[in-house]
Amino acid sequence: MKSRSGRTATAATASGRDAQPFMTTLNEFSRCVAQYDPHALPVSAAQAIVRQWATPVTAVERVPLRDALDRVLAADIVSPIDVPSHDNSAMDGYAFNRTALATIESTVDLTIVGKALAGHPFAGQVGTTQCVRVMTGACMPADCDTVVPQELVERSADSTSIRFAANALRAGANRRLTGEDLVRGHAALRAGRIMRASDLGLLASLGIGEVSVRRRLRVAFFSTGDELRSLGEPLEPGSVYDSNRYTLFAMLRRLNMDTLDLGVVRDEPAALEAALRSAAASADVVLTSGGVSVGEADFTKQLLQTFGDVAFWSLAMRPGRPLAFGRVWSGNHPGLGLPALFFGLPGNPVAVMVTFYQIVREALLLMSGATPQALPLLRAASRQIIRKRAGRTEYQRGVAGQDAHGQWHVTPTGSQSSGVLSSMSEANCFIVLGHDEADIAEGEHVDIMLFDGLI
Ligand code: AMP
Ligand code: MG
């Protein structure tokens, strides 16, 4: 049964997961992953599990070029033309036949026989002792192979000829070749590409005004917690404003997701179950925050075990230890109704951001049909001792910069508590401390992941 574009109602065919017919549940699949420990799964193992289940949406839509910004290209774009479509001048100067002058050693005098501007070619013939005045982008006149820049020539008093040192120029200098940018019949952009500014321009240069992109991924999210208040509500003692929904909204929008904000849900199993089911009914992915720990009001994990499929719920990671990943269905039983991938993020605001970028982001991009690039890491000297326990991956917040010699350095922001959201605003990078790493000495090098381009 096809009920939403690209999604089907049965578990087996939902988003084409028949690729693992021998695995009945995500839970079983996860148990086969090396280092599987549901109580403290290493980050790399968690990423590997999530990657396996992030199946791309299949539906495609045609959009005008401008609307393709940040969308995922659904098919390769094969160039219908050569770009540039003709040899042309890269400089303002004079076009001539350098090859014919090969034996000339010193200065050369050429008679100007015409002019070519961008969009206004010179149609005549050019002899070996002649040249044509050309502007940047003008078609190379027939028989000409080289352009001498105007700064290098001396014009005769009557402006009918030029003189210059021909041996200062090799044949072909300052000439742009047909197809130098894009060759007709070759792939100009590959499917899976997230369209950026240069790609829009590139497609325009091919004369393409409309493209096929994958449909946007629909991501529903809600916060859980009896203490949470929405903006505009009074803040009684013991309550806090719900900030996670705003952070999540912004992070999802940056990835160009179609977002569905389902508000705040109380710490009550029935309310949570209803919210999870309705989220699964209307989205590809469901994100929640809070309630995945082991406290008395943390029901998400239990619920997932009864009407979902849970792969893991605790990572060897800080912040972000409690993190549930699995699948939920809109029906009242695993496999019934519409499926959605589920991430139960921790409640602490910093942990929400860290787990989103380190675990959720790649899955969302893969499900959108994109080919995600590994996030680049830089090596930076720590300006401070950093306490770190081996056996978990840590993502501390840091302020990185370069010294006068261009060397990178980083200083952790003050508090590394996962509740201190201001540390994320203050920081400009994550300090990534690997699973096996222990304390870092002052001056020791660490990996950093810059927020620029990420957040
Ligand atoms: P929990 O994981 O539900 O135990 O929550 C951990 C901490 O994060 C608690 O201090 C919560 O009050 C806080 N928290 C949970 N959800 C949110 C939210 N949406 N906005 C701000 N703080 C939150
Ligand atoms: Mg809570």
Side-chain angles (χ1 to χ4, degrees):
M1 181 183 84
K2 195 96 177 161
S3 38
R4 274 198 308 271
S5 58
R7 302 210 323 136
T8 51
T10 64
T13 52
S15 47
R17 294 210 181 116
D18 4 22
Q20 294 113 6
F22 49 92
M23 302 292 182
T24 50
T25 67
L26 219 168
N27 184 277
E28 286 171 28
F29 169 79
S30 307
R31 288 171 191 279
C32 300
V33 168
Q35 299 177 290
Y36 181 70
D37 173 356
H39 302 286
L41 194 66
V43 169
S44 56
Q47 288 165 334
I49 292 172
V50 170
R51 211 173 280 139
Q52 284 296 319
W53 291 84
T55 312
V57 294
T58 50
V60 166
E61 57 199 44
R62 297 281 293 172
V63 294
L65 192 51
R66 285 196 177 97
D67 294 347
L69 183 64
D70 294 334
R71 300 292 299 267
V72 178
L73 204 57
D76 289 355
I77 301 277
V78 174
S79 180
I81 54 170
D82 286 319
V83 178
S85 58
H86 50 265
D87 288 7
N88 67 91
S89 175
M91 303 284 281
D92 293 333
Y94 299 85
F96 67 105
N97 188 339
R98 174 71 184 83
T99 310
L101 297 179
T103 55
I104 305 254
E105 279 166 18
S106 56
T107 57
V108 57
D109 292 284
L110 299 176
T111 311
I112 305 170
V113 293
K115 187 159 73 174
L117 305 179
H120 301 280
F122 174 76
Q125 297 294 306
V126 187
T128 53
T129 59
Q130 298 177 331
C131 68
V132 173
R133 174 93 173 111
V134 287
M135 298 297 148
T136 305
C139 281
M140 287 297 282
D143 305 322
C144 294
D145 60 7
T146 304
V147 173
V148 55
Q150 62 190 23
E151 298 79 12
L152 299 186
V153 310
E154 216 177 279
R155 273 174 86 113
S156 61
D158 61 358
S159 287
T160 57
S161 66
I162 55 168
R163 170 171 292 183
F164 61 98
N167 50 7
L169 290 166
R170 52 171 183 79
N174 305 313
R175 175 184 55 164
R176 298 174 183 152
L177 295 173
T178 303
E180 175 179 294
D181 188 352
L182 299 163
V183 180
R184 178 179 171 169
H186 284 62
L189 292 177
R190 295 279 181 195
R193 184 169 183 89
I194 300 173
M195 302 281 287
R196 305 296 189 209
S198 58
D199 304 321
L200 262 58
L202 192 145
L203 292 191
S205 80
L206 297 176
I208 294 173
E210 212 184 73
V211 282
S212 293
V213 294
R214 303 267 183 143
R215 78 163 168 86
R216 285 165 82 203
L217 199 67
R218 192 126 212 258
V219 184
F221 58 95
F222 59 85
S223 297
T224 69
D226 287 348
E227 76 282 26
L228 301 180
R229 295 292 173 270
S230 294
L231 301 189
E233 290 179 355
L235 203 61
E236 311 95 46
S239 57
V240 295
Y241 281 125
D242 174 5
S243 61
N244 290 342
R245 263 162 59 223
Y246 289 85
T247 319
L248 279 171
F249 162 83
M251 294 189 295
L252 289 165
R253 278 297 169 90
R254 276 272 201 260
L255 295 180
N256 203 21
M257 299 292 136
D258 184 5
T259 53
L260 181 63
D261 183 342
L262 297 176
V264 176
V265 175
R266 280 160 295 128
D267 288 320
E268 237 175 60
L272 261 173
E273 182 178 335
L276 281 172
R277 285 221 221 130
S278 91
S282 46
D284 304 291
V285 180
V286 179
L287 302 180
T288 63
S289 75
V292 282
S293 203
V294 288
E296 282 184 22
D298 295 333
F299 300 113
T300 310
K301 189 188 123 199
Q302 295 163 28
L303 276 173
L304 215 61
Q305 279 166 330
T306 51
F307 82 101
D309 176 16
V310 57
F312 57 80
W313 56 88
S314 184
L315 298 186
M317 172 175 175
R318 186 188 155 107
R321 189 181 52 78
L323 183 135
F325 169 64
R327 285 186 297 175
V328 287
W329 280 266
S330 58
N332 59 1
H333 196 270
L336 280 187
L338 288 161
L341 224 52
F342 171 79
F343 292 89
L345 307 183
N348 277 308
V350 177
V352 166
M353 295 195 77
V354 170
T355 49
F356 182 90
Y357 285 116
Q358 306 304 333
I359 307 289
V360 181
R361 174 185 174 275
E362 189 189 13
L364 297 181
L365 293 176
L366 284 167
M367 290 182 80
S368 305
T371 316
Q373 309 288 317
L375 291 167
L377 296 174
L378 289 177
R379 296 289 285 171
S382 177
R383 288 197 152 165
Q384 212 170 278
I385 293 171
I386 304 177
R387 296 277 167 227
K388 157 75 170 57
R389 209 175 74 197
R392 67 186 183 201
T393 308
E394 291 194 15
Y395 298 90
Q396 300 208 3
R397 276 71 65 210
V399 179
Q402 282 172 289
D403 66 17
H405 308 287
Q407 302 297 313
W408 285 92
H409 53 76
V410 66
T411 311
T413 56
S415 169
Q416 293 293 327
S417 157
S418 62
V420 177
L421 192 53
S422 57
S423 71
M424 279 298 296
S425 291
E426 193 188 325
N428 64 3
C429 68
F430 286 126
I431 302 172
V432 183
L433 303 169
H435 190 84
D436 298 322
E437 270 182 288
D439 288 348
I440 304 294
E442 189 182 330
E444 201 176 322
H445 279 76
V446 289
D447 283 333
I448 59 169
M449 185 183 282
L450 291 177
F451 287 171
D452 242 15
L454 175 70
I455 289 183

